[in-house]
Amino acid sequence: MTAEPAGRTPWSLRRRLVLGIVALLALLAVVIGGVTVAALRGQLVARLDRVLLAASERTTAAVDDVVVGGPGFPAGSIVDILPGQGAGAVGLVTVDGQVVRAGYVGEDGRPQLLTPVQLQALADVPDDRAPRTVSLGGSLGSYRAVATPLGDSGITVVNGLSLAEADATTSQLVTTVAAVGLAAIALAALLGSLVVRVALRPLTRVVETATRVSELPLESGEVLMPERVPDTTSSTEVGRVGAALNRLLGKVEGALAARHASEQKVRRFVADASHELRTPLATIRGYAELGRRESEQLPPDTARSLERIEAESVRMTTLVEDMLLLARLDAGRELPREPVGIARVVVEAVADAHVAGPAHHWLLDVPEEDVQVMGEPASLHQAVANLLANARIHTPPGTTVRVEVLPRPDSVVVTVTDDGPGIDAALVPVLFERFTRGDDARTRAGGSTGLGLAITAAIVEAHGGEVRVDSAPGRTAFAVELPRSSPLG
Ligand SMILES: Nc1ncnc2c1ncn2[C@@H]1O[C@H](COP(=O)(O)OP(=O)(O)OP(=O)(O)O)[C@@H](O)[C@H]1O
Ligand SMILES: [Mg+2]
């Protein structure tokens, strides 16, 4: 995977394709339009040049006639030497560089004067009989002009014809090409986006399928993934993507099912093993207790051994019971449910904790009216008792533990807060996982197992609730939130 540059959202495939089509078409329109316009203008100018050269010939002949009349260049109208030329035709005659007659044919066919700038521009045309474009400005605009020397008499005749018509035709063509080009681009964008949308629709379905799969609650042990991509024709690229995704989903589903089956097996084994261990453990404990009662008759070493056996079997019984409970909760077995007054459960648990930990300060705050939740009283008692046991065992004597029951509109929160040393920050993210325990707990004689909070979390979850922790040195707070049996309101 390549990381996208920050701050820039990449374009969608559809957008890129449509923009590609539009850009290509715009380029084509510009090239074709440009070539057409240039060709047309070239033709128009060439035709104008032919007319101009013919006009030049006629003017030269007319000037020749005038000069034949006598020495010097007689005064007269410019129209006389522009025979057969229409409005706008420009003429200029110089003798040895001096302008002797100049002007242009007006709209009414009468001679019109040129400005000095226009005169200069025409006089500057090189006398090589090659037409070229000159700008006369004013009301005349661009002209094609040609200068023709009259033998070696020193007389030069300049003729000019207006480019206005050629310019108008050209700009009309430019307008038309631009309008047609823009319309074609707009149409291409519209049709292109429709075509691309239709072509990519199966890809949208692939995305939808993948999204639905990603929303499946796979973490909660879901193993069935019924979602599949509908279009999987192998003739299209998108179809092949869909088929590949379907094959992948099939594989993942198979793997999940296999893992689920093996997990179930392990759970059943743990549950069965814990269950089977209860009876021999009870027997061991019973015999050890029996032996201890007669300890006066036993050698001191044997009596001590029996005492240890009894203590360890009590601990092992707790461990086995915890594991059995967890295995049952894991198996998702429904707990028997009845209305339970949560404040009552908390009061009893705190009373027990008080007896077990008289060196701690126990503060209790419960509402006057009890809050009912649906659940199993013994499990709920254990969930709270585990928190209280932690607040007692993992904090030094003299620690204050505050237990509160806080009713909420549709839930109830039980908090257990102590001002002890707090929980190691590295432990917090995995606190509710099995066999998580702090270093002090590990080394404590009669040690703890690290199952207490895992059991609390599993019980609370089985009741549809949630347990949270917030710990810092001097303040550790656990909060258990359970849904009320009947929400207020
Ligand atoms: N109130 C608390 N103050 C300080 N540390 C705590 C507190 N509660 C829990 N801990 C830490 O979290 C760890 C996990 O607690 P958890 O109850 O799961 O296991 P445990 O108490 O060690 O064993 P078990 O409860 O199975 O006898 C504890 O070992 C302890 O380090
Ligand atoms: Mg504990």
Side-chain angles (χ1 to χ4, degrees):
M1 282 245 274
T2 48
E4 292 293 344
R8 191 176 141 232
T9 326
W11 285 356
S12 69
L13 185 58
R14 189 191 301 164
R15 202 165 171 196
R16 272 189 253 180
L17 285 173
V18 173
L19 276 175
I21 294 171
V22 166
L24 201 63
L25 202 76
L27 188 71
L28 280 177
V30 168
V31 170
I32 293 176
V35 170
T36 311
V37 168
L40 179 83
R41 191 177 160 80
Q43 273 180 18
L44 290 175
V45 171
R47 193 187 304 157
L48 191 67
D49 286 351
R50 283 198 297 279
V51 176
L52 179 65
L53 288 173
S56 167
E57 259 169 46
R58 287 200 301 278
T59 303
T60 324
V63 169
D64 227 2
D65 289 349
V66 170
V67 180
V68 167
F73 201 89
S77 162
I78 189 70
V79 180
D80 300 343
I81 57 165
L82 293 175
Q85 297 196 33
V90 164
L92 176 123
V93 180
T94 58
V95 178
D96 296 329
Q98 291 299 311
V99 177
V100 290
R101 199 182 289 187
Y104 67 96
V105 185
E107 289 295 327
D108 51 3
R110 299 189 32 182
Q112 302 289 330
L113 289 179
L114 292 167
T115 64
V117 177
Q118 290 169 337
L119 284 177
Q120 192 56 51
L122 286 170
D124 285 346
V125 175
D127 53 354
D128 54 2
R129 297 170 199 265
R132 37 176 58 73
T133 302
V134 289
S135 175
L136 296 183
S139 57
L140 295 178
S142 284
Y143 268 67
R144 287 296 279 181
V146 66
T148 314
L150 212 70
D152 48 8
S153 60
I155 301 176
T156 302
V157 173
V158 181
N159 281 79
L161 287 179
S162 174
L163 271 169
E165 207 166 311
D167 283 343
T169 311
T170 310
S171 62
Q172 205 172 1
L173 184 69
V174 169
T175 315
T176 311
V177 166
V180 171
L182 284 179
I185 288 170
L187 196 69
L190 198 73
L191 289 182
S193 76
L194 274 181
V195 168
V196 170
R197 188 184 299 250
V198 170
L200 292 185
R201 192 170 291 156
L203 205 56
T204 318
R205 287 196 275 268
V206 171
V207 172
E208 282 167 3
T209 306
T211 311
R212 280 199 298 275
V213 170
S214 70
E215 283 163 359
L216 287 178
L218 294 179
E219 310 77 31
S220 66
E222 182 68 56
V223 291
L224 285 181
M225 296 198 295
E227 302 292 348
R228 288 292 183 275
V229 181
D231 330 66
T232 51
T233 29
S234 59
S235 57
T236 66
E237 289 80 354
V238 180
R240 287 208 290 277
V241 171
L245 183 67
N246 283 354
R247 277 200 301 282
L248 176 75
L249 288 178
K251 279 241 155 149
V252 172
E253 193 175 32
L256 280 180
R259 198 184 72 182
H260 185 68
S262 93
E263 264 176 16
Q264 289 293 87
K265 228 189 257 175
V266 171
R267 262 186 213 143
R268 211 168 310 127
F269 171 74
V270 173
D272 290 351
S274 323
H275 189 74
E276 291 303 318
L277 281 170
R278 285 161 116 190
T279 322
L281 273 174
T283 312
I284 293 172
R285 214 169 73 201
Y287 276 108
E289 214 177 304
L290 198 68
R292 192 171 43 85
R293 277 202 212 127
E294 284 146 24
S295 56
E296 314 85 60
Q297 297 155 33
L298 295 172
D301 277 356
T302 315
R304 212 166 22 253
S305 299
L306 280 177
E307 221 168 86
R308 291 289 306 136
I309 289 173
E310 194 189 346
E312 285 302 306
S313 64
V314 167
R315 198 176 143 225
M316 200 160 161
T317 306
T318 321
L319 179 59
V320 163
E321 293 289 346
D322 284 354
M323 279 165 60
L324 187 60
L325 178 66
L326 273 176
R328 284 187 177 153
L329 289 170
D330 276 352
R333 195 178 296 173
E334 274 286 311
L335 294 167
R337 299 209 156 197
E338 57 185 89
V340 183
I342 197 72
R344 190 185 163 83
V345 168
V346 169
V347 169
E348 281 170 8
V350 171
D352 293 349
H354 207 293
V355 174
H360 284 64
H361 303 297
W362 299 93
L363 304 176
L364 182 59
D365 188 356
V366 293
E368 272 169 27
E369 198 178 325
D370 206 349
V371 184
Q372 303 285 319
V373 301
M374 287 304 280
E376 197 208 16
S379 305
L380 289 173
H381 182 277
Q382 186 170 358
V384 177
N386 285 354
L387 296 181
L388 298 180
N390 282 349
R392 172 169 56 83
I393 295 168
H394 304 298
T395 60
T399 302
T400 304
V401 185
R402 180 177 196 90
V403 186
E404 283 171 300
V405 175
L406 308 163
R408 296 266 163 83
D410 44 14
S411 65
V412 54
V413 182
V414 178
T415 62
V416 177
T417 315
D418 67 62
D419 59 0
I423 303 173
D424 185 357
L427 220 58
V428 172
V430 290
L431 198 60
F432 296 101
E433 285 174 18
R434 281 146 214 212
F435 300 110
T436 296
R437 54 197 166 147
D439 291 337
D440 62 325
R442 231 176 267 276
T443 50
R444 178 174 295 120
S448 50
T449 58
L451 285 179
L453 288 175
I455 288 176
T456 297
I459 292 174
V460 172
E461 230 163 75
H463 282 83
E466 196 191 356
V467 53
R468 296 180 290 269
V469 63
D470 180 19
S471 179
R475 185 179 182 276
T476 298
F478 283 90
V480 168
E481 181 158 14
L482 292 163
R484 278 170 175 262
S485 59
S486 50
L488 284 188

